[in-house]
Amino acid sequence: MARVYDVVVVGSGAAGGMAATQLCLKGLKVLLLERGPKFNIATDFEHHRKPYNFPFRGRIRPSERSIYNYTANEWNKKHFVNEIENPYTGKKFVWVRAQAVGGKTLHWGLVSLRFSPRDFKAASHDGVGSDWPISYEDVEPYYSKVEDWIGVCGHIDRLENNPDSHFLPPVPLTCAENIFKGQIESKFADRHVIQGRSATVTKPGFHGRAPCHYCGHCGRVCNVSASFSSAGVLLPIAEKTGNLTMRTNAVVWKVTADRENRAKSVVFIDRITRQVEEVYGKVIVMGAGTLDTTRILLNSRSDDHPDGLGNSSGVLGKYFCEQIMAGGVTGLIPRLKGNPNRGGDAHPEGGGIYIPRFRNLKEKRKDFVRGYGFEGGGGSREFPSFANKIPGFGAEFKEEVKKYYATVISIGSFGEVVPRAENHVEIDPVVRDTWGIPVLKFEVEWGPNELAMARDSHDTQREMFRKAGIEIINERTTPLEPGWSIHCAGTARMGDDPKASYLNKFNQSHDIKNLFVADAACFVNSTEKNPTLTILALSMRTADYIAEQMRKGELG
């Protein structure tokens, strides 16, 4: 007789890793399914190998460019999916997918921002879209618990639209960043330049983790887990409980349900052997990431659920949202030219500067709703990209590059994409992946609101650099393609009305009471803020609700 687990969790990244860990700590027996292999963080990645030790200086080999997405390089490519084996169709979209225990937390940007009270009730402020069925006060205790688990460094700034976290010491600003901060805040009363809020340990003794050693190579996977990842921080806790069973190389196809409208099992295909397997759980938790979770649930259609499992509302796959990455600007601070300070390479990801949203907070613009924030930093990396704009060769060229090393400052914008039913994903009726599973078709594009916001954000960047006396050396004036932010959300939104939402306020399916979605698919809107901290908080909240309902006998 097949074993029935208390909970089957799909996905091992931020959502799945948090849900599995919290449920294991509650004493439940959890089976965690991950489509990729498990790597040893300390030994299986080439964290500090220099670019010149690779044939193409760390870049993907030309013969592999069609296989991997834009984020992959020779250090991290082993934990991204093969794009040829995992196709998708429809309008142009950049879908970044991980394939390893830890998911995208192995290589995320570490920016950790709480959503604000306004973010959860944005529709009440501007009349666009829907409010969340929960408030900031519902999530705040979980933000605090998550921060005490993962470690978030930053500075207390007391900004209304950017609530402070339980902070570890912040990453010091570089000389360029300090000058930029002083110039911007003195010339723009509505703008703050704050220290980046990063999921990075900055002091010894934090839950036994080593502090950041400021190598600046977080994207290559931190070999001492100073930066947060599900694989390096959460799942070791779950494993120590003895309640976790992990099944790797499990490419999930669908979730099945019985005639009583209860989720029964998860069907997957072994990535290597191609054998179909089925596992059973009293509760099923989806945490595979917004788009993979949606694909699985849409592929779980049956006679009782013809439009996808639990999709009586018809909203599954709709109201896709993320952030639009509009313009980007890089410049030089003239007064720092020739400064011998070589600082800049030591920043952990997310540890530079952040300019919080200032649009549509007190005033209301006529051309767009919501707003954007700027992320960036000053100083140069180990191999500065600006060097290719300087003529020369050899020792003299190197000395000329060093004169500009401390002068560089750059920022890029992240703007809120307002959810619209027209922006959606669906199952392609023809195309299948290597394992025979139907793929997603994308119907997502920027709307007038996003494009107006993008124009304003770029105009604002140029204005700030000009007034700060910064010489612009490079700029991107057009938005990047949909998906580029990697902050996909909203396709299984929560709400109080079962006819207009997929989940209730506890991330529980309206139709299938023992089915939960713990990732950003549950979001009602994306905000301009990076989503991972909120994913972790909502996943922990969901796990607590599941454990309590199971204790009461409500879920099995």
Side-chain angles (χ1 to χ4, degrees):
M1 190 174 188
R3 177 177 178 180
V4 179
Y5 291 87
D6 290 325
V7 185
V8 176
V9 177
V10 179
S12 64
M18 174 58 80
T21 300
Q22 185 75 345
L23 290 165
C24 285
L25 289 170
K26 298 288 185 180
L28 300 175
K29 298 297 183 181
V30 177
L31 172 63
L32 180 63
L33 300 177
E34 165 55 49
R35 68 175 294 136
K38 182 178 182 180
F39 294 106
N40 185 310
I41 283 181
T43 60
D44 288 342
F45 296 94
E46 300 173 285
H47 317 274
H48 299 126
R49 190 177 178 189
K50 298 296 185 182
Y52 47 73
N53 292 135
F54 294 100
F56 295 93
R57 300 298 188 261
R59 296 183 178 91
I60 292 296
R61 297 166 183 265
S63 61
E64 295 180 325
R65 287 173 186 163
S66 62
I67 297 176
Y68 297 106
N69 63 69
Y70 80 92
T71 61
N73 54 49
E74 289 290 351
W75 291 276
N76 65 21
K77 69 181 183 182
K78 64 181 71 175
H79 55 80
F80 286 105
V81 302
N82 181 315
E83 301 277 322
I84 296 174
E85 294 179 344
N86 297 272
Y88 52 98
T89 66
K91 294 178 180 176
K92 184 66 175 178
F93 189 89
V94 179
W95 187 8
V96 176
R97 291 164 290 174
Q99 184 170 271
V101 172
K104 291 193 291 293
T105 65
L106 291 173
H107 56 83
W108 68 303
L110 302 174
V111 177
S112 299
L113 302 168
R114 291 188 180 196
F115 287 8
S116 71
R118 184 191 196 98
D119 292 326
F120 288 98
K121 304 298 177 184
S124 293
H125 288 274
D126 56 33
V128 177
S130 303
D131 287 337
W132 293 57
I134 57 177
S135 67
Y136 176 80
E137 288 69 29
D138 293 319
V139 185
E140 195 281 330
Y142 291 95
Y143 277 136
S144 298
K145 291 177 184 178
V146 167
E147 290 154 0
D148 289 341
W149 267 26
I150 72 173
V152 176
C153 64
H155 185 270
I156 294 176
D157 298 295
R158 296 182 175 87
L159 301 176
E160 182 180 357
N161 198 50
N162 290 81
D164 292 314
S165 294
H166 288 197
F167 288 130
L168 296 174
V171 175
L173 296 179
T174 65
C175 189
E177 291 165 354
N178 267 309
I179 291 173
F180 183 74
K181 175 181 173 67
Q183 292 281 27
I184 298 303
E185 292 184 343
S186 67
K187 291 176 170 57
F188 298 93
D190 63 340
R191 294 168 210 183
H192 302 272
V193 180
I194 67 174
Q195 286 160 297
R197 299 174 177 185
S198 173
T200 303
V201 174
T202 54
K203 69 176 185 179
F206 187 82
H207 300 315
R209 289 160 60 192
C212 178
H213 51 270
Y214 292 86
C215 70
H217 303 314
C218 313
R220 302 176 189 176
V221 184
C222 181
N223 63 328
V224 297
S225 294
S227 62
F228 167 78
S229 72
S230 173
V233 176
L234 295 178
L235 295 177
I237 297 172
E239 289 170 333
K240 287 179 182 179
T241 67
N243 293 324
L244 180 70
T245 301
M246 189 182 299
R247 175 63 161 88
T248 57
N249 297 309
V251 181
V252 174
W253 171 14
K254 62 184 178 181
V255 178
T256 71
D258 59 26
R259 300 312 295 267
E260 283 72 46
N261 260 0
R262 295 183 60 83
K264 181 180 66 173
S265 68
V266 177
V267 179
F268 65 88
I269 301 170
D270 187 287
R271 187 172 63 91
I272 298 170
T273 68
R274 310 293 174 90
Q275 294 298 306
V276 178
E277 299 184 39
E278 186 172 14
V279 291
Y280 301 86
K282 298 174 185 176
V283 172
I284 308 297
V285 177
M286 301 301 301
T290 293
L291 294 170
D292 270 315
T293 284
T294 302
R295 178 191 177 195
I296 292 165
L297 293 173
L298 287 171
N299 273 325
S300 302
R301 56 170 63 111
S302 64
D303 290 342
D304 293 326
H305 301 273
D307 298 318
L309 185 61
N311 191 26
S312 64
S313 65
V315 303
L316 182 64
K318 296 181 180 178
Y319 299 102
F320 173 85
C321 53
E322 56 162 326
Q323 279 101 46
I324 180 172
M325 297 182 71
V329 178
T330 299
L332 302 177
I333 300 175
R335 63 189 274 196
L336 290 178
K337 183 180 178 182
N339 189 314
N341 175 11
R342 299 291 181 258
D345 187 46
H347 266 176
E349 295 281 353
I353 56 174
Y354 184 65
I355 303 176
R357 170 184 166 186
F358 49 88
R359 291 295 193 227
N360 290 319
L361 293 178
K362 293 182 179 179
E363 93 293 358
K364 283 193 175 183
R365 293 182 63 93
K366 294 181 179 179
D367 51 344
F368 65 88
V369 298
R370 311 292 163 87
Y372 50 83
F374 295 122
E375 297 175 18
S380 297
R381 295 293 182 179
E382 184 177 18
F383 295 90
S385 59
F386 71 84
N388 59 20
K389 296 184 179 298
I390 297 176
F393 184 79
E396 290 184 4
F397 168 71
K398 290 181 181 179
E399 288 305 312
E400 188 65 20
V401 169
K402 290 176 183 178
K403 292 178 183 178
Y404 292 92
Y405 220 79
T407 72
V408 179
I409 189 82
S410 62
I411 57 173
S413 63
F414 287 74
E416 178 172 356
V417 174
V418 176
R420 295 181 288 124
E422 296 83 5
N423 274 350
H424 69 278
V425 294
E426 59 192 20
I427 296 299
D428 189 289
V430 177
V431 180
R432 294 172 179 257
D433 66 17
T434 295
W435 297 271
I437 301 173
V439 307
L440 280 185
K441 180 181 179 181
F442 285 80
E443 296 293 338
V444 174
E445 60 186 358
W446 302 136
N449 196 76
E450 287 80 48
L451 294 176
M453 184 187 298
R455 287 191 294 270
D456 182 70
S457 69
H458 182 63
D459 290 344
T460 299
Q461 288 173 317
R462 299 187 76 181
E463 177 192 30
M464 289 193 298
F465 271 50
R466 180 177 59 82
K467 288 194 174 183
I470 297 171
E471 176 190 347
I472 294 176
I473 61 170
N474 187 45
E475 59 183 325
R476 176 173 46 79
T477 61
T478 57
L480 296 172
E481 295 165 341
W484 206 279
S485 73
I486 325 179
H487 298 163
C488 304
T491 48
R493 55 172 26 196
M494 61 166 72
D496 290 327
D497 184 359
K499 295 181 180 179
S501 57
Y502 187 81
L503 305 167
N504 68 14
K505 63 182 180 179
F506 292 106
N507 294 46
Q508 181 181 30
S509 165
H510 287 300
D511 297 349
I512 312 291
K513 298 305 180 185
N514 64 333
L515 173 66
F516 293 80
V517 175
D519 54 43
C522 78
F523 283 21
V524 179
N525 56 279
S526 62
T527 85
E528 81 288 355
K529 303 175 179 72
N530 302 49
T532 304
L533 187 64
T534 300
I535 294 171
L536 290 164
L538 291 177
S539 182
M540 179 184 281
R541 181 174 182 267
T542 299
D544 279 0
Y545 178 77
I546 291 170
E548 179 61 18
Q549 292 299 298
M550 293 191 79
R551 186 189 67 79
K552 293 179 179 178
E554 298 292 332
L555 290 175

